[in-house]
Amino acid sequence: MNAVSPICLIDLAPALRWSKSADVADVLRHARLVDGWWRSLPLPRVLDIAGPTWLAHCLARLAVEQWDHLALDEFLPTLRALAVDMDEIAEPVRGSVLATAGGWDQLVTASPAAMRDWGHPDNCGVLEVVSMVTWRAVHPFTRDCAGGPSPSPALMVEAVRTIANWMPASAPEHVHSALAYLTNATGAGDAESVDDGPQQSPATRAIRTLRALRAQRDEEAAEEPAPASSTPPPSPPPTPSLAESLTRRPRSNSLLGPNRTLRRPAFGPPKALRTETPDDDAPPAEAPAGLGEHPLIDLLDQLFRSWGDLERAVAAERLFAADPVSIRVLSDQLRVDIGEIRNAQRTVEEQLLQWLGSPAGAPVTQHLRDISEQLGAATTIDHLISAHPDHPVEVPSLATPLWRVVITLFTDRRLHNGWLVAAEPHQLRWQTRQLVTGGPSITEAGIRLGKLGIRPQALRAWLLSTPGVSVRDGYVVVDESVAMEAPEQTAAFAAGHAMLPQDSPGSTTANGLPIRRRPAVAQPRQEPRLDVTTSARCFRAPDGRWWHRVDVTADHLNGAPVTVPPGYATHLGLQPGRLLCLTAPGADLLVLVWRDQPAFDSLRPLLRRLSAQPGDRVFITVNGDRLDARRLPSADLTDHGPTSKALHLIGYTAPASTEEALEIIARRISEDTDGAPTDPTRLLDLLTKRGDTDIVNELRPTLYAAH
């Protein structure tokens, strides 16, 4: 039976059940896990995503930093039924435990606070000892306990020896310390029995080590009896191209093969940089699914195989990858010019959009519609994977599971902290809190949140991921002491924030995917002004380039979309229903897409590179497919006059008189500097029509006082 354990982390560590999420979130936060996962996500799934090492280290930190007064077997009660032989513990922890606690039973009945007085050796402190204990508590919930293979100690020793042989003496001290720990923990230093001689270099010793390992594998293979067969052995397959080797690379669990058998890793240079042919004794790749078994997989695979090697490599490494490779790194790996990579990516995106809108791509487009409706406004990655039996299946030409492709093709939702959300996340969580006030039951809360598009399968996890919301004895409780700022009152949000309207006919993007819109204010719909000179927060520099100001918020730093005026998007050449891929400083890829309004999917890579903080102002401009940005840090302008504050809003920081400030602002919002409005009243009217009311509010008192 291969059932998934429903046990969550709060069941393993009961102290977490009574703690506030905010108290432990800093330690337990993980980029690929939903907020509050320790209350809702099964432990085996957590371990599949984050790994036992990460989780054990987090538990050790909590035990040492927050619950050091609890004995370890009180913090993790399952330790009471766990018998561990000291010989099963690696050095230097084993020696530290024997020298202090004396044995396993004495160790787990002690608290971290008491351990601080034990006098641990310098190379192994309290946190290191406790992390070993938490690893033993976590390990039974890994897939290994269901019959999976255990890692080979011999291969671990060989890996450490190979690293030691290749690492130069000039490596940083902390790298040498890390290698020394691995050497002691695995016994790799004692395992060296071959005298390589003083004249041999580390590279020579490493090559000899690898040859010896290969010879040993050949001997093992020769000892196995070959099955009788009259069929001649097949000829070896041709050596794959570099692009094929990249697209066939496993995305995760690279040491696990078919039926979770352990593959033998190859220690050496990265595969993309190797020139030799693959090993003859390498394990066979997983056989692709048969044609007809997965129609969606076959359809997408046929599309990707029709592309060239470069386009397919870009799709696998950048477009559909969980951690996209930068253009520069991919250029180095493929030995291709950066410009060719950019051109290939634009070609891939355009072909995808055209294919999804064509009859050939109709089944995939329909699948995206069906899945979008099934998942609702917010869903976890787990629910997406289990929403269709084909989602975990790999697309052979990309070595990428279908669910990763689906996430990329979604145009009505984005990934945010482990959630696929069809609306602005902060706004949706704020609405959630408003709807569940009064302590409704889980059933009643589900009915209320159904108006927001929250489906029953995601209800509990979504509630627990909302700040200040918890579930107790079947009822939803809101802790008002947990602050949560209300979202900005936009025109689309002001009319009614309690529910999402039903999709109306024709409410789709250019490629046919659904768009969810919030109810609009009851007023005549105005067509957007498509002129950059009349677009808010857009200013023309003396060199003729137009810059757009982004007022940075905490949501932007967390990956929220950043809207831009339609006039500025049109100025850049973007049209409704299309997207524009831009290369930012550092070769980061930014996508500007025009759905119901133009917006960057996220500026987080750019904002992080600029070290931006909430309150900063970032000015962006585009030249061709390259985006440039300048950060204007938030500053205390209390002692500055209104004109200085107004100039700060257009990115001008030099001092200027009122008359000079008006002239500068007039030039910055006009295409023709000779026709710039010089009359103060006319200038204020133009700024108001543009939507630059913040500038108007700074200038108006000064102009009134002057007159």
Side-chain angles (χ1 to χ4, degrees):
M1 183 176 181
N2 193 21
V4 176
S5 170
I7 293 178
C8 301
L9 188 62
I10 59 173
D11 301 309
L12 183 66
L16 285 172
R17 187 184 299 275
W18 315 113
S19 63
K20 293 182 179 180
S21 295
D23 295 337
V24 298
D26 288 343
V27 176
L28 295 178
R29 184 176 290 114
H30 191 282
R32 295 183 59 201
L33 296 174
V34 299
D35 296 337
W37 60 265
W38 49 92
R39 298 180 181 273
S40 58
L41 202 59
L43 265 178
R45 182 59 184 157
V46 175
L47 295 170
D48 280 347
I49 295 174
T53 302
W54 176 84
L55 181 57
H57 181 65
C58 290
L59 284 173
R61 285 186 56 192
L62 291 175
V64 173
E65 297 171 7
Q66 299 193 28
W67 284 289
D68 64 343
H69 61 286
L70 291 179
L72 294 182
D73 62 355
E74 294 180 7
F75 180 64
L76 298 170
T78 57
L79 292 172
R80 298 168 184 167
L82 192 63
V84 176
D85 191 325
M86 293 304 298
D87 291 336
E88 301 174 12
I89 301 175
E91 294 291 353
V93 177
R94 177 177 177 274
S96 178
V97 173
L98 290 175
T100 54
W104 174 262
D105 293 338
Q106 295 83 353
L107 175 64
V108 297
T109 55
S111 67
M115 294 180 191
R116 293 192 180 96
D117 300 328
W118 286 1
H120 294 276
D122 294 337
N123 62 343
C124 184
V126 174
L127 182 62
E128 287 73 23
V129 172
V130 174
S131 66
M132 178 275 297
V133 176
T134 55
W135 189 89
R136 300 300 301 228
V138 165
H139 188 260
F141 297 93
T142 63
R143 303 293 182 181
D144 290 344
C145 66
S150 298
S152 167
L155 286 177
M156 295 173 66
V157 169
E158 187 60 38
V160 175
R161 290 171 57 188
T162 303
I163 294 172
N165 286 335
W166 279 101
M167 190 170 70
S170 59
E173 183 62 30
H174 64 274
V175 178
H176 282 286
S177 299
L179 180 60
Y181 168 77
L182 290 175
T183 302
N184 292 332
T186 59
D190 299 333
E192 184 73 55
S193 59
V194 179
D195 184 7
D196 294 321
Q199 302 299 323
Q200 291 181 335
S201 66
T204 303
R205 293 197 303 271
I207 292 173
R208 288 191 58 183
T209 301
L210 292 176
R211 287 176 177 172
L213 181 61
R214 178 176 295 182
Q216 180 181 353
R217 293 203 305 263
D218 293 341
E219 292 177 2
E220 293 173 355
E223 292 176 358
E224 297 179 0
S229 174
S230 59
T231 304
S235 58
T239 302
S241 65
L242 179 57
E244 289 174 341
S245 66
L246 281 171
T247 56
R248 292 177 185 174
R249 187 182 64 192
R251 291 284 166 195
S252 61
N253 294 334
S254 58
L255 296 183
L256 296 180
N259 301 319
R260 299 191 64 83
T261 56
L262 193 66
R263 289 182 175 137
R264 182 181 292 274
F267 303 113
K271 290 184 179 180
L273 303 180
R274 295 178 187 171
T275 57
E276 65 269 20
T277 58
D279 293 342
D280 294 336
D281 56 354
E286 295 185 41
L291 291 176
E293 296 180 14
H294 306 284
L296 291 176
I297 302 290
D298 298 340
L299 194 61
L300 286 166
D301 192 54
Q302 182 181 6
L303 169 69
F304 298 142
R305 289 189 185 280
S306 67
W307 295 350
D309 287 348
L310 183 57
E311 285 76 17
R312 194 159 59 248
V314 168
E317 297 298 324
R318 286 185 57 77
L319 199 60
F320 299 117
D323 298 309
V325 177
S326 72
I327 289 180
R328 193 172 304 280
V329 170
L330 189 59
S331 172
D332 293 340
Q333 289 181 346
L334 299 182
R335 314 291 172 88
V336 174
D337 184 70
I338 290 179
E340 294 185 45
I341 300 291
R342 293 198 186 102
N343 292 335
Q345 177 146 339
R346 281 195 294 269
T347 300
V348 165
E349 290 160 349
E350 291 174 359
Q351 289 180 350
L352 263 178
L353 287 176
Q354 294 173 1
W355 184 79
L356 288 170
S358 69
V364 174
T365 302
Q366 183 62 43
H367 176 73
L368 293 173
R369 288 200 194 101
D370 296 341
I371 292 298
S372 182
E373 179 61 28
Q374 178 181 341
L375 297 178
T379 188
T380 64
I381 299 298
D382 277 340
H383 289 142
L384 171 64
I385 295 174
S386 60
H388 193 278
D390 284 0
H391 280 183
V393 180
E394 282 193 349
V395 180
S397 54
L398 297 182
T400 300
L402 178 61
W403 66 268
R404 282 290 333 161
V405 178
V406 169
I407 283 182
T408 304
L409 297 182
F410 269 141
T411 60
D412 66 334
R413 62 188 65 231
R414 65 186 182 85
L415 192 60
H416 177 79
N417 289 342
W419 285 89
L420 275 171
V421 187
E424 202 285 313
H426 178 74
Q427 186 170 289
L428 191 58
R429 286 196 168 97
W430 187 83
Q431 293 173 301
T432 297
R433 273 187 55 150
Q434 302 304 305
L435 288 177
V436 297
T437 54
S441 65
I442 283 284
T443 303
E444 175 62 24
I447 295 173
R448 297 181 186 181
L449 295 186
K451 300 175 183 178
L452 293 178
I454 305 298
R455 300 291 186 257
Q457 69 269 17
L459 175 63
R460 186 179 183 88
W462 176 254
L463 287 170
L464 294 175
S465 72
T466 302
V469 178
S470 60
V471 178
R472 300 176 186 171
D473 300 326
Y475 289 87
V476 181
V477 180
V478 178
D479 184 358
E480 299 295 345
S481 65
V482 178
M484 187 176 185
E485 295 181 1
E488 296 179 2
Q489 295 291 324
T490 61
F493 180 67
H497 56 69
M499 60 183 296
L500 286 169
Q502 297 294 325
D503 293 339
S504 58
S507 180
T508 59
T509 61
N511 57 10
L513 301 182
I515 299 175
R516 295 184 180 272
R517 294 187 177 90
R518 298 190 178 278
V521 178
Q523 60 182 14
R525 179 176 177 84
Q526 299 179 351
E527 292 297 324
R529 295 169 293 187
L530 304 182
D531 188 353
V532 67
T533 61
T534 58
S535 298
R537 302 183 305 282
C538 294
F539 310 103
R540 182 177 177 272
D543 61 2
R545 290 187 296 172
W546 281 90
W547 294 73
H548 172 64
R549 189 186 82 230
V550 176
D551 299 325
V552 180
T553 67
D555 286 340
H556 293 157
L557 296 175
N558 289 329
V562 179
T563 58
V564 300
Y568 187 70
T570 303
H571 171 73
L572 300 181
L574 185 62
Q575 300 175 1
R578 303 301 297 272
L579 56 82
L580 186 64
C581 295
L582 304 171
T583 302
D588 291 321
L589 178 70
L590 302 177
V591 178
L592 179 61
V593 61
W594 195 329
R595 298 183 182 111
D596 46 348
Q597 61 181 344
F600 285 98
D601 274 351
S602 173
L603 288 181
R604 179 164 56 180
L606 174 66
L607 298 178
R608 285 184 172 179
R609 188 173 295 277
L610 295 176
S611 300
Q613 299 295 325
D616 289 352
R617 296 180 176 121
V618 172
F619 292 81
I620 60 175
T621 188
V622 176
N623 183 17
D625 66 342
R626 300 194 65 83
L627 180 143
D628 193 13
R630 298 290 184 270
R631 179 175 74 97
L632 188 58
S634 59
D636 184 5
L637 302 177
T638 305
D639 298 333
H640 291 65
T643 54
S644 295
K645 295 178 182 178
L647 290 173
H648 199 273
L649 290 169
I650 71 170
Y652 192 94
T653 56
S657 64
T658 300
E659 291 74 13
E660 292 172 337
L662 294 177
E663 184 179 351
I664 293 170
I665 294 173
R667 290 200 306 265
R668 294 292 176 93
I669 64 173
S670 303
E671 189 71 56
D672 182 11
T673 55
D674 295 334
T678 55
D679 178 68
T681 302
R682 184 185 169 199
L683 177 60
L684 292 183
D685 288 343
L686 181 55
L687 288 169
T688 301
K689 291 179 181 179
R690 281 168 47 103
D692 292 314
T693 54
D694 47 1
I695 301 178
V696 172
N697 292 336
E698 297 294 348
L699 290 177
R700 182 173 281 127
T702 301
L703 296 181
Y704 284 163
H707 290 283

